[in-house]
Amino acid sequence: MAVDLSVALHPELVYILAALVGGFIIFFGLISLLVKEKLFLSDALVALLFGILVGPKVFGFFDPLSWPDHPGITLELSKFAIAIQVMAAGVSMPKAYARREYWSFMMLLGPTMLAMWLVSGLIMYLILPRFSFLQALVVAACVTPTDPILANSVVKGRFAEKHVPIHVRDLLSAESGANDGLGLPYMYLALYLLHFNSVWDALTAWVVLVWLYQIFLAVAIGITAGFIFRKLIYHAERYDLIDKESFLAFWIALALFITGSLGILGSDDVLACFVAGNAFAWDNWFSNETKEAHLQEVVDMIFNYAYFIFLGASLPWDSYASTLPDLGYGKLIAIGSLLLLFRRLPAMLVLSKFIPAIHNLREAVFAGWFGPIGVGAIFLAFLGQSIIDNLNANMQSTVGKDALDHVRPYLYPVVSFMVLCSVIVHGITVPLIYLGRHITTRSITATSAMQNVVSRLPMIRPGQDVVLVPPKRSLNGEGSSNPPEHNTIEIEDEVPTVLHLPAGAQVVVSDNLEGKSA
């Protein structure tokens, strides 16, 4: 009986994704130490490039854009990926970090993040076609938060441990975990100002629905859940009620529980996960107990690889090129270049003097440059499309509806290209820094060797006596002749002295030679 292979060999897209992720982890894992610890390349960059290769633009093995509900699937996948990451960031924070570094934390989440949003909006307003400033601010809200996944490339690993101070690493990790959930108020403010006919109505809805119901409620639930579950797991472990596997996986289950619960309530589940993780590991007990297991790093790795392979295959190349009016690669590259240069760095340089965790200009430049755009931006882009659809369903003014309809198709193409730029540029920054330091170190080492030789020579200053001791001579090549004669020269102020010494001569420097034999 013949078998129809065309039917038998027709795998679903989820099987293809599973095979690609598993194969990538296997084969990349064989050289992962070389790539990450020797070449200092970001693993997110490698996974994204792999996703591009297997995607429809190159080999065509995997095409998520062909899925019927690609936006909805990507939104939920992004939400859970970022929830796991911000929970991991919260759990890994030092003891009582939010309390100890409260002012630095608030400066980054307050004026620094506000400046990032406004600068990003201005750049997009100047470049995007027929965009008002409010419409540009909707897109800018997506790229305002920094990404905890990409931040790991500069806060973890051999390069970070050797060259980045621990207080800077902790600050960047904490900021990237918290500000993904705080991108929502900026997006909602711009959307509500476009939606409502009255500014007062927009601000009222923004305060009540966003700040009170989403932000403050998420913080309250996160603190409460983190505190309660920290006490529960502590007593469960103390009285031998929990097994090792459940103990290690507890923080992952907590992330999933909070994400699902807050998703049902319609509150800010991403922010709640970070706050809960911080409260859960407040005393560092859980972190110390699970430090040797490395389960957190393994889970991070799997989620990161899977997501960035999926994202690489989902990049809308057609929209970049010609689908959207007056967009194109030229404008996208211009936006990406300006965002990387001016979105964060100037604000960090100006405000660094008010951030106690930033100690000097060098640290301010480093923290200002490494503010990567990643999973949180993709999540906010698709969430923004969903919010626009809901607002348009209740829209009474055609003016506001037209404004929202114009910005909606630009969200994912523009934001995904910014993520692509950030992953590439920030992913190769550390190797470039290392290469520059390596070249500089070799030059300094050669110079230092000569300086070490010079530093062992006696220092000759004005007013001192220099005694020249000629080498010993022998009459027949053996033994010694008469004692050598000493020539004494006094160095006077501002009088250059040139000494011609025979081979083997010695120099003795003294402030006063009287009564002493040279």
Side-chain angles (χ1 to χ4, degrees):
M1 180 178 178
V3 178
D4 188 356
L5 294 179
S6 64
V7 176
L9 299 178
H10 185 68
E12 298 293 337
L13 288 172
V14 66
Y15 299 149
I16 299 176
L17 178 60
L20 291 174
V21 173
F24 178 82
I25 293 175
I26 290 172
F27 292 104
F28 176 69
L30 297 175
I31 59 171
S32 57
L33 185 63
L34 170 66
V35 173
K36 294 191 288 187
E37 299 295 339
K38 302 296 183 181
L39 302 179
F40 300 104
L41 289 174
S42 166
D43 50 357
L45 171 61
V46 180
L48 183 73
L49 295 178
F50 178 76
I52 294 174
L53 287 177
V54 301
K57 189 65 175 178
V58 185
F59 294 119
F61 297 146
F62 182 54
D63 185 10
L65 292 174
S66 65
W67 293 5
D69 189 22
H70 172 261
I73 293 173
T74 308
L75 173 61
E76 298 306 322
L77 181 62
S78 303
K79 177 188 291 186
F80 281 99
I82 200 66
I84 293 291
Q85 289 297 328
V86 298
M87 174 65 76
V91 170
S92 63
M93 285 292 95
K95 182 178 180 180
Y97 183 81
R99 183 178 63 195
R100 289 190 292 105
E101 293 292 347
Y102 171 81
W103 186 250
S104 298
F105 212 36
M106 291 300 101
M107 287 298 298
L108 288 180
L109 299 180
T112 303
M113 197 170 178
L114 176 61
M116 292 166 64
W117 179 50
L118 295 176
V119 170
S120 301
L122 179 61
I123 291 172
M124 294 183 181
Y125 169 69
L126 295 175
I127 297 178
L128 287 176
R130 301 188 301 276
F131 261 57
S132 68
F133 187 57
L134 276 179
Q135 290 172 319
L137 287 177
V138 175
V139 186
C142 301
V143 300
T144 297
T146 57
D147 185 70
I149 298 177
L150 300 178
N152 282 342
S153 62
V154 294
V155 300
K156 294 182 179 180
R158 185 165 64 92
F159 180 87
E161 292 172 358
K162 185 176 181 180
H163 300 291
V164 184
I166 182 63
H167 56 273
V168 176
R169 283 185 273 151
D170 289 339
L171 183 66
L172 293 179
S173 182
E175 179 201 12
S176 63
N179 63 14
D180 275 302
L182 290 176
L184 278 178
Y186 297 105
M187 173 177 285
Y188 269 108
L189 179 59
L191 289 174
Y192 281 166
L193 289 174
L194 290 172
H195 173 72
F196 289 99
N197 294 325
S198 168
V199 175
W200 175 256
D201 292 340
L203 293 178
T204 302
W206 185 58
V207 171
V208 175
L209 298 179
V210 179
W211 279 103
L212 293 181
Y213 186 75
Q214 296 209 32
I215 304 301
F216 291 155
L217 179 61
V219 172
I221 292 177
I223 292 175
T224 304
F227 175 80
I228 292 176
F229 286 110
R230 172 162 54 91
K231 294 296 183 181
L232 289 177
I233 194 174
Y234 174 78
H235 290 290
E237 197 275 337
R238 180 182 179 185
Y239 294 106
D240 295 326
L241 300 176
I242 186 171
D243 62 13
K244 180 180 179 181
E245 292 79 7
S246 300
F247 183 83
L248 294 176
F250 199 87
W251 70 275
I252 304 173
L254 182 58
L256 296 176
F257 174 74
I258 291 178
T259 303
S261 301
L262 272 291
I264 295 173
L265 295 176
S267 189
D268 194 339
D269 42 11
V270 174
L271 179 61
C273 280
F274 174 76
V275 175
N278 208 313
F280 181 70
W282 187 257
D283 57 0
N284 266 15
W285 173 79
F286 183 79
S287 301
N288 294 331
E289 291 291 324
T290 59
K291 183 181 298 183
E292 300 301 325
H294 300 289
L295 178 64
Q296 178 181 326
E297 291 83 353
V298 174
V299 173
D300 285 351
M301 180 193 71
I302 295 174
F303 269 87
N304 294 351
Y305 291 168
Y307 186 85
F308 279 99
I309 291 172
F310 177 84
L311 178 61
S314 302
L315 294 176
W317 300 100
D318 292 338
S319 297
Y320 298 156
S322 59
T323 301
L324 294 176
D326 303 325
L327 193 59
Y329 285 104
K331 288 180 177 171
L332 287 171
I333 293 174
I335 295 174
S337 302
L338 292 174
L339 281 181
L340 292 176
L341 289 174
F342 299 108
R343 158 179 164 267
R344 177 180 172 87
L345 183 57
M348 186 65 71
L349 292 177
V350 172
L351 297 173
S352 61
K353 62 181 68 176
F354 306 107
I355 304 176
I358 301 296
H359 296 168
N360 51 53
L361 180 62
R362 183 179 180 181
E363 294 179 0
V365 171
F366 185 88
W369 173 251
F370 281 105
I373 307 168
V375 181
I378 302 296
F379 166 70
L380 289 174
F382 283 107
L383 182 63
Q385 290 183 350
S386 177
I387 295 171
I388 289 174
D389 293 338
N390 292 333
L391 291 177
N392 282 342
N394 301 316
M395 180 70 72
Q396 297 179 356
S397 171
T398 58
V399 176
K401 186 176 185 302
D402 292 340
L404 293 176
D405 285 338
H406 179 69
V407 73
R408 187 188 186 283
Y410 285 88
L411 278 172
Y412 181 56
V414 174
V415 171
S416 63
F417 194 86
M418 298 306 106
V419 173
L420 176 63
C421 292
S422 179
V423 171
I424 293 175
V425 174
H426 289 117
I428 64 174
T429 297
V430 171
L432 293 178
I433 293 176
Y434 177 78
L435 180 62
R437 291 178 66 92
H438 181 67
I439 295 174
T440 305
T441 301
R442 292 185 62 182
S443 175
I444 292 175
T445 301
T447 305
S448 299
M450 178 59 68
Q451 290 176 345
N452 289 336
V453 174
V454 174
S455 64
R456 293 194 296 268
L457 297 178
M459 183 67 68
I460 303 176
R461 297 181 177 86
Q464 291 182 322
D465 294 327
V466 177
V467 179
L468 306 181
V469 183
K472 295 181 179 181
R473 303 282 185 182
S474 64
L475 297 176
N476 55 4
E478 297 180 0
S480 59
S481 63
N482 297 328
E485 297 180 357
H486 297 170
N487 296 323
T488 302
I489 301 175
E490 182 178 353
I491 304 299
E492 300 179 1
D493 289 344
E494 300 180 358
V495 177
T497 303
V498 179
L499 305 179
H500 298 281
L501 303 179
Q506 300 178 10
V507 178
V508 179
V509 181
S510 175
D511 291 325
N512 181 11
L513 292 177
E514 296 180 0
K516 298 181 181 179
S517 59

